[in-house]
Amino acid sequence: MRTPQPSHSILGAEPRRSSCRLCGKGLRLAVDFGRMPLANAFLTREQFASEVFFNLSAGFCEPCSLFQLLEQPKPEQMFHGGYPFFTGSSEGMRRHFSELASRIRKDFLPDGGFITDLGSNDGTFLKNFPQEQYKRLGIEPSANVASAAQAQGIETEISFFDIKISKRIRQQKGGADVFAGTNVLCHIPDLAGTLHAVAHLLNPEGVAIFEDPYLGEVLAKTSYDQIYDEHVYLFSVTALVRACESQGLRLFDAELIWTHGGSLRYSICKKDSKRMESPRVRQFLDSEKKSGMLDFSRYEQFREQCEHSRDLLIETLTALKAQRKRVAGYAATSKSTTVLNYCGITPDLVTFISDTTPEKQGKFTPGTHIPVLPYEHFKSNYPTHALLFAWNHTEEIYAKEEAFVQSGGRWITYVPKVKVS
Ligand code: TMP
Ligand code: ZN
C-alpha cells in the first residue's frame, strides 16, 4: 500500500547517530518511520518542489534508558520566525498553565522572587506572574512568538538557552527561584549541557519544573505521533533521574498530567538542596522497571504496535473511500505529520484538514499536501467522518462538536486503538 520513498536528508541536519547523546554508548534502533518532512513545515503549492525531508527513526540507549531520535534537523530549521505554534491557542492549555502557575506561586516562588520560563512562546504562562509582584523572564528562540510576548510587556530573551546565556542572566538578574519549562526540554539535543545551564542559574533552594510527553504513556497508548522532529527525546523518570545526577541535580518529584496526551511534570533541585523526595519518584521507578520500559524488547513490541495501528488506519480510510464517504482531518497538529506520512495518507483519503490557526490555513500539510482549511469550512461543510488529530483535546472537542455528531458525523480516532465511533 505504501510507496517506498527515496531517502532525502535535510541539508545541514545532524548526521544519523549510532550513539547515545548522553553517555556515548551504542543506540539500538527502535522504530523507523521513513522519509519525513518537518512536522510544522506547512507549505504553499509553490513550495512543494523545494520541500525537504529527513529520516524519522528513534533508538533506545539501555544504559541511560533514554529514548531518542537518530537523526534530527537543525534546531534553527524548526524554531524560527515563522514557527506556527502559539501556546495560547487552546482553552484547555490556557487553564492548564494558569493552574501550574498557582501551584508554583504557592509552593516555590516567594514574593519578589525570580522566575524564568524556557520556551516561553507567546508569554501565556508568564502572564500568570504579575510584574509588580515577581521578576519574570522568558527565553524563546522563535522570534515571531517571542515578539507576541514582548508586545504584551513580558521581557523575553530571543535565543536558545545554554551556559553562556545562563551566566549572563545570572549576572544581570541574579539566580532564579523557579526555572520553568513546559514542552521544551525534550526538544533540546544537548540534554547534559542544558541541565548544566539550569543548575548554574538556580538558587541553592531553587526549583526547576518541567513538563514533557511521557514515554510510558506513548508506549501504553501506541501514541507514536509524539515522535516527530522536535521531540528529540521521550523521557522516562528513570532516564531523567540519571541525567539530573550527571549534572549535580536531583529529581525530587514527578506526576502524570493530561496534557499532550499524557505528560510528566517533574521537579528538580540542586543535589544538596534540603527538599525531600516525594514517594512518587520511587513509584515511577518501580513501575517503569516492572512494565519492561527499561528493556529493549519493549521497543520491538512497540514497533509492531505502530505497524499494526498504521495498517488498521489505512484499511479504515480506504474502506470509507470505497463507500464514497467524505473524511476530513480535525486539527493540523504537529503530531499529524508523523501519522500522515508514516501511514501514507493522501488527499484522496483525507480531503482537507480543519484548523483554527491562521498561519496554517490556506497551506498544505508537510509531505502529504492535504489542504488545511479554516475551521469555518468544517462547520459549514461537515464531512461524513472526522479524523481526530488533536486527540489530546478529545473532551474539549467532543463537547464543542456535538452538532457534528447530531448531523450524523462520525469520529475516527487512532489512539489508543483505531476506532470509528
Ligand atoms: P496541539 O495543541 O495538539 O499541538 O494542537 C495544535 C493545533 O490544533 C493548532 O494548529 C490548533 C489546532 N486545533 C484546532 O484546530 N481545533 C481545536 O479544537 C484544537 C484544540 C486545536
Ligand atoms: Zn546513553
Side-chain angles (χ1 to χ4, degrees):
M1 194 152 300
R2 298 171 66 227
T3 15
Q5 311 254 2
S7 168
H8 183 160
S9 272
I10 289 178
L11 202 64
E14 145 192 91
R16 189 181 169 93
R17 298 187 66 95
S18 52
S19 60
C20 171
R21 288 173 179 81
L22 196 60
C23 73
K25 300 213 172 83
L27 283 173
R28 299 181 74 180
L29 178 69
V31 287
D32 188 344
F33 295 148
R35 194 181 85 134
M36 195 60 64
L38 297 184
N40 270 305
F42 292 87
L43 70 176
T44 60
R45 202 181 286 281
E46 293 69 43
Q47 293 168 324
F48 287 179
S50 54
E51 195 168 18
V52 286
F53 297 86
F54 74 112
N55 171 258
L56 182 64
S57 49
F60 184 66
C61 172
E62 269 185 314
C64 303
S65 306
L66 191 54
F67 186 89
Q68 53 197 286
L69 294 188
L70 295 186
E71 192 180 307
Q72 199 201 21
K74 279 197 163 165
E76 293 80 3
Q77 288 173 308
M78 296 181 284
F79 312 109
H80 47 68
Y83 190 57
F85 183 80
F86 286 81
T87 305
S89 64
S90 142
E91 178 53 39
M93 288 307 282
R94 278 196 292 274
R95 255 201 327 266
H96 167 76
F97 285 125
S98 134
E99 176 269 324
L100 172 62
S102 310
R103 173 94 77 94
I104 288 177
R105 287 198 307 262
K106 183 168 140 288
D107 292 345
F108 301 122
L109 192 63
D111 262 8
F114 178 28
I115 175 164
T116 57
D117 183 24
L118 181 59
S120 49
N121 202 275
D122 57 4
T124 301
F125 178 61
L126 280 181
K127 248 186 267 171
N128 295 291
F129 301 88
Q131 66 181 346
E132 310 76 56
Q133 211 175 342
Y134 304 104
K135 267 180 9 186
R136 59 187 193 187
L137 176 72
I139 308 166
E140 170 60 57
S142 293
N144 62 330
V145 286
S147 319
Q150 286 170 333
Q152 297 175 74
I154 293 164
E155 189 179 345
T156 305
E157 178 84 40
I158 304 184
S159 135
F160 288 98
F161 181 67
D162 57 17
I163 186 67
K164 239 172 65 198
I165 298 284
S166 174
K167 283 185 175 163
R168 201 180 73 216
I169 295 173
R170 189 173 241 292
Q171 230 167 31
Q172 292 174 349
K173 301 194 179 289
D177 298 298
V178 175
F179 187 101
T182 54
N183 302 302
V184 67
L185 197 60
C186 75
H187 290 62
I188 308 177
D190 186 6
L191 179 60
T194 305
L195 290 175
H196 174 64
V198 169
H200 179 80
L201 191 54
L202 278 186
N203 280 332
E205 288 299 327
V207 170
I209 299 184
F210 293 105
E211 292 179 0
D212 288 290
Y214 178 45
L215 177 63
E217 289 287 289
V218 172
L219 295 176
K221 294 179 175 160
T222 318
S223 47
Y224 65 87
D225 55 355
Q226 291 293 2
I227 302 171
Y228 57 89
D229 53 80
E230 294 175 17
H231 292 168
V232 61
Y233 300 109
L234 287 175
F235 294 127
S236 61
V237 172
T238 309
L240 286 165
V241 163
R242 289 178 185 163
C244 287
E245 275 169 4
S246 76
Q247 301 304 320
L249 291 165
R250 183 159 62 80
L251 188 139
F252 70 92
D253 200 1
E255 66 181 300
L256 197 60
I257 53 172
W258 69 272
T259 56
H260 296 277
S263 298
L264 202 60
R265 176 183 288 169
Y266 50 100
S267 313
I268 294 171
C269 59
K270 293 205 165 181
K271 188 173 74 173
D272 301 323
S273 156
K274 295 187 210 58
R275 292 185 191 276
M276 302 275 287
E277 182 176 301
S278 152
R280 288 193 284 238
V281 175
R282 174 51 48 201
Q283 285 161 13
F284 268 106
L285 295 176
D286 289 345
S287 88
E288 288 180 356
K289 195 165 175 198
K290 235 170 86 193
S291 72
M293 260 170 81
L294 313 186
D295 308 320
F296 182 70
S297 57
R298 178 66 187 90
Y299 300 88
E300 292 176 304
Q301 193 192 349
F302 175 60
R303 181 193 310 160
E304 284 167 19
Q305 288 169 330
C306 294
E307 287 165 358
H308 182 63
S309 172
R310 174 194 67 192
D311 296 347
L312 264 182
L313 184 57
I314 279 291
E315 236 171 67
T316 305
L317 295 175
T318 308
L320 290 172
K321 183 187 162 190
Q323 295 161 34
R324 299 185 179 281
K325 304 291 186 196
R326 270 184 324 113
V327 180
Y330 194 99
T333 56
S334 328
K335 300 190 290 292
S336 71
T337 297
T338 296
V339 178
L340 292 168
N341 286 275
Y342 172 55
C343 299
I345 298 173
T346 37
D348 60 315
L349 296 179
V350 171
T351 51
F352 74 91
I353 301 185
S354 156
D355 197 279
T356 53
T357 305
E359 283 79 358
K360 296 181 188 176
Q361 296 164 356
K363 293 194 176 162
F364 296 84
T365 58
T368 49
H369 304 168
I370 298 170
V372 180
L373 299 178
Y375 174 55
E376 293 67 35
H377 183 85
F378 174 83
K379 291 292 273 183
S380 51
N381 301 273
Y382 278 150
T384 57
H385 292 73
L387 174 52
L388 183 58
F389 288 118
W391 55 267
N392 49 313
H393 297 288
T394 298
E395 250 175 62
E396 182 179 331
I397 292 170
Y398 280 10
K400 197 164 69 178
E401 303 301 349
E402 273 182 14
F404 166 63
V405 175
Q406 272 159 17
S407 77
R410 312 269 305 264
W411 288 106
I412 308 170
T413 48
Y414 53 89
V415 170
K417 293 243 174 340
V418 175
K419 198 171 87 181
V420 181
S421 52

